[in-house]
Amino acid sequence: MTENRVYTTGEKPQNPIILDVVYLISDIREEPQTEHPAEEGAILPTVWSYVVDDVLTIAEYQVLKYAELEEHILELDLALFEKDMEEA
């Protein structure tokens, strides 16, 4: 699979990016400045790049997040159960 690196300016991108679809991103990097400001003291916007790993519909993303949440809850329940068993 070829890497789909996207370049953007402004604030650091967050994972995921949610528009009409959800973009799961990784490898977020601040890129070096390649331009020099025309005016003394002018500051260029920060340039970021990231890799798009997957594009999901919002419904697919919600299913994925709910599954992750359920897994986390099960892990916490198991930890609480083991703690109760140690105390008993």
Side-chain angles (χ1 to χ4, degrees):
M1 182 175 161
T2 58
E3 186 175 272
N4 183 12
R5 182 156 293 278
V6 177
Y7 294 85
T8 185
T9 59
E11 302 226 356
K12 182 178 180 179
Q14 301 279 328
N15 187 26
I17 299 173
I18 302 173
L19 300 170
D20 293 335
V21 292
V22 178
Y23 295 86
L24 298 179
I25 64 174
S26 64
D27 194 21
I28 301 168
R29 293 188 245 182
E30 183 175 352
E31 298 292 334
Q33 294 289 345
T34 56
E35 298 178 22
H36 299 288
E39 299 176 18
E40 283 285 323
I43 300 173
L44 291 174
T46 304
V47 177
W48 299 94
S49 71
Y50 55 87
V51 175
V52 176
D53 295 325
D54 204 358
V55 180
L56 306 172
T57 66
I58 292 176
E60 290 170 329
Y61 179 70
Q62 288 175 330
V63 167
L64 177 71
K65 295 313 283 180
Y66 288 142
E68 289 175 2
L69 182 58
E70 279 185 11
E71 184 178 322
H72 185 67
I73 289 171
L74 287 173
E75 289 173 3
L76 291 174
D77 284 347
L78 180 60
L80 287 172
F81 177 74
E82 288 175 353
K83 183 170 176 40
D84 286 346
M85 294 305 288
E86 288 174 2
E87 293 175 359

